[in-house]
Amino acid sequence: MAEKLQEYSDSKLDKILKGKKRIEALINNMHDAVIGINEKRKVLFANDEALKLTGLKREDLVGRNIQDVAVQNDLVRLMAQAILQPAVTDDGHLPVKIYADQKESYFEKEIVDINITPTGETDAQFIGQVIILKNITPFKELDIAKTNFIATVSHELKTPIASIKMGLQLLGNEQVGTLNKEQLSLLEGISEDAGRLLKITGELLNITQAESGMIQLTMVATPVDEIIHYALQATKVAADQNQVRIQVSADRGSLTVMADKDKSAWVLTNLLSNAIRYTHSNDVIQLGIEQKEHQVVFSVKDNGPGIAPQFLEKIFDRYFRMPNEKGGGTGLGLTIAREFVEAQGGSLSVGSVLGAGSCFSFTLNRAE
C-alpha cells in the first residue's frame, strides 16, 4: 500500500490535482467576482465573491448552463449579456452599479476568451470564457469627489471673476478718469486674463455636467439662423483681430432644429474659435449648413495645419492638447462640444489632411 501511495504521489495525476486546488484557492481569494464557463456555456466554477454578489448558492450556479441561470438572476444576465446576445451592443466598458457592501457600488465587467493549443497541434482551440466583475467603487468615489470639487470651485470663482471684469470696464470708462497709455495697456492685459479665467471656469462647469451625466437641456424648436448669428457675433472680434473672414454657405429656406439653443450655439462658437486660431491671416473659414434627411449638418472648414491621423480621435479626450499647440486652451472644448451634441441626439466628427486643414461637422435633428 505504501508503494502504491508513493507511485500516486509521484504521478502526473497528483500534480494536476494539486495545481487545480492551487488555482481554485487563488480564484476564491480574489476580491473580484469570477465565473468560468466552458465552450458549451456550462458554468465550471464561481468564486465566493461571485456567489456573494449574485446571492446564489454554489450548487445553484456551478454545473448549470449560464443561460438557465440568467433567466432567474438579473445580475448573472447582466454579466453574461455579451455571451448570450452577441448581436446586442454590450456596454462592458461602462461601470455597472450594484448594491453591495451595504451601499451603491460600481463594477467593471470583462469577458476573457480562453484558447489553448493542444499538444502536437498548431491551431488554438476555444475552450471557454471567464467573466470578471472588478470592484472599482473606491476609484469611482474619488472621481465623483473630484467632479464635485471642480464644480464647486468653478462656481465660486465665476462670481468674483465677473466682478473683476465689471470693475475693469468701469476703469476703462473715461467718465471715471483718464488713463495714460501704459495704464490702458495694463488694463487691457488684465481684462484678457480675466476673460480667459472666466472661459476656463465655464468650461470646467460644463465638463462636470458631462461627467456626472447631469447635462441640463432645454430642447425647443430653434431656427438655425439664430444659432449661426450668435456664433458669428461671438467670434467677430477674434476674426477681425486675426484678419480672417468667415464665409457662410447654407441651404436655401428656413431650417429649424430641435435643440438646446445655448449649448448648440456654444458648440458652433467653439469650433469657429478653434478654426480662427489655426487659420492664417487673410484666409477664409467655410461655415456650411446642409440639410440631410431628418438632420441638419453644421460644418466648419479651415485651411490650417491640419491634424495628424494618430490624433484625430484623441483631440476629443479630456485635457488632450496637440504637441506644439498654438494658444493656451484647456483641452476641454472639443470634449464638451461632443458631449453637448450627443446629449441632443446628434454626432460630432472631424476630417483632416495634415498640412491642408480640417473640417469639423456636427448634426442636430430637424424639428418636425
Side-chain angles (χ1 to χ4, degrees):
M1 185 182 291
E3 287 177 358
K4 291 295 181 183
L5 287 172
Q6 186 62 39
E7 286 177 12
Y8 168 76
S9 179
D10 294 336
S11 70
K12 290 183 179 180
L13 179 60
D14 180 55
K15 293 178 182 178
I16 291 171
L17 289 173
K18 284 182 178 177
K20 181 175 179 290
K21 288 180 179 179
R22 289 194 192 98
I23 293 171
E24 287 176 348
L26 178 65
I27 292 172
N28 277 326
N29 283 284
M30 288 177 67
H31 295 295
D32 300 326
V34 181
I35 296 175
I37 62 174
N38 65 13
E39 70 278 12
K40 294 181 180 180
R41 298 180 179 175
K42 180 181 177 181
V43 179
L44 299 175
F45 59 82
N47 68 353
D48 294 338
E49 190 66 23
L51 297 174
K52 177 183 172 184
L53 284 177
T54 59
L56 296 171
K57 295 180 180 179
R58 195 175 298 276
E59 57 269 23
D60 296 331
L61 184 58
V62 177
R64 296 183 62 192
N65 189 293
I66 196 163
Q67 186 169 0
D68 296 335
V69 181
V71 172
Q72 302 170 347
N73 190 284
D74 292 339
L75 181 55
V76 173
R77 182 166 60 252
L78 181 65
M79 292 173 70
Q81 184 179 24
I83 298 170
L84 301 175
Q85 297 174 294
V88 178
T89 302
D90 183 56
D91 294 328
H93 62 286
L94 297 177
V96 179
K97 190 188 291 187
I98 302 169
Y99 189 82
D101 300 324
Q102 298 182 342
K103 64 177 180 180
E104 283 189 343
S105 301
Y106 295 86
F107 294 82
E108 194 174 72
K109 182 176 65 176
E110 183 179 2
I111 298 176
V112 182
D113 291 340
I114 307 299
N115 298 285
I116 63 165
T117 304
T119 304
E121 297 184 18
T122 55
D123 296 332
Q125 181 182 339
F126 174 75
I127 63 167
Q129 292 166 302
V130 174
I131 306 169
I132 304 170
L133 214 55
K134 301 176 183 177
N135 192 335
I136 58 168
T137 305
F139 304 103
K140 188 67 178 178
E141 288 174 343
L142 286 172
D143 189 53
I144 292 171
K146 178 263 299 178
T147 299
N148 291 337
F149 174 75
I150 292 174
T152 303
V153 171
S154 301
H155 183 75
E156 293 300 322
L157 284 173
K158 210 169 182 182
T159 301
I161 293 171
S163 298
I164 291 170
K165 292 232 1 132
M166 187 177 292
L168 291 169
Q169 288 177 357
L170 290 173
L171 282 174
N173 192 331
E174 291 185 359
Q175 293 179 353
V176 177
T178 56
L179 301 175
N180 58 39
K181 289 184 179 179
E182 289 77 11
Q183 290 171 329
L184 284 171
S185 178
L186 285 171
L187 195 67
E188 185 179 344
I190 296 169
S191 181
E192 287 179 359
D193 288 339
R196 193 174 294 113
L197 281 172
L198 198 59
K199 180 183 177 183
I200 290 171
T201 53
E203 288 185 343
L204 288 172
L205 280 171
N206 285 332
I207 200 66
T208 53
Q209 275 190 32
E211 284 183 346
S212 61
M214 298 294 289
I215 298 177
Q216 298 173 357
L217 297 174
T218 304
M219 301 291 284
V220 294
T222 305
V224 170
D225 288 343
E226 291 185 11
I227 297 173
I228 296 172
H229 178 74
Y230 178 94
L232 291 176
Q233 288 297 114
T235 55
K236 185 178 186 303
V237 174
D240 291 342
Q241 288 177 346
N242 287 272
Q243 297 179 347
V244 171
R245 187 163 58 90
I246 300 173
Q247 183 176 337
V248 182
S249 58
D251 279 349
R252 291 184 177 180
S254 179
L255 294 176
T256 306
V257 290
M258 184 58 68
D260 183 301
K261 178 183 173 181
D262 293 336
K263 287 182 171 56
S264 300
W266 188 96
V267 172
L268 186 56
T269 301
N270 182 264
L271 296 181
L272 286 173
S273 298
N274 289 345
I276 291 168
R277 193 184 345 164
Y278 290 105
T279 298
H280 303 294
S281 297
N282 301 314
D283 210 338
V284 178
I285 293 170
Q286 300 287 343
L287 169 56
I289 310 296
E290 184 183 1
Q291 179 180 332
K292 277 190 177 180
E293 296 179 355
H294 301 293
Q295 291 185 318
V296 175
V297 182
F298 297 74
S299 62
V300 176
K301 186 179 184 301
D302 63 62
N303 299 308
I307 304 167
Q310 64 268 30
F311 299 130
L312 279 177
E313 277 305 311
K314 285 183 175 292
I315 59 174
F316 295 104
D317 292 345
R318 279 178 289 173
Y319 308 111
F320 176 80
R321 296 183 63 192
M322 295 279 289
N324 304 316
E325 183 175 350
K326 176 184 175 184
T330 59
L332 288 173
L334 288 175
T335 306
I336 297 168
R338 176 171 271 187
E339 293 280 356
F340 280 176
V341 171
E342 290 181 350
Q344 298 177 76
S347 61
L348 172 62
S349 59
V350 60
S352 183
V353 177
L354 193 60
S358 305
C359 182
F360 286 83
S361 303
F362 70 94
T363 62
L364 293 175
N365 295 321
R366 283 186 59 201
E368 299 298 336

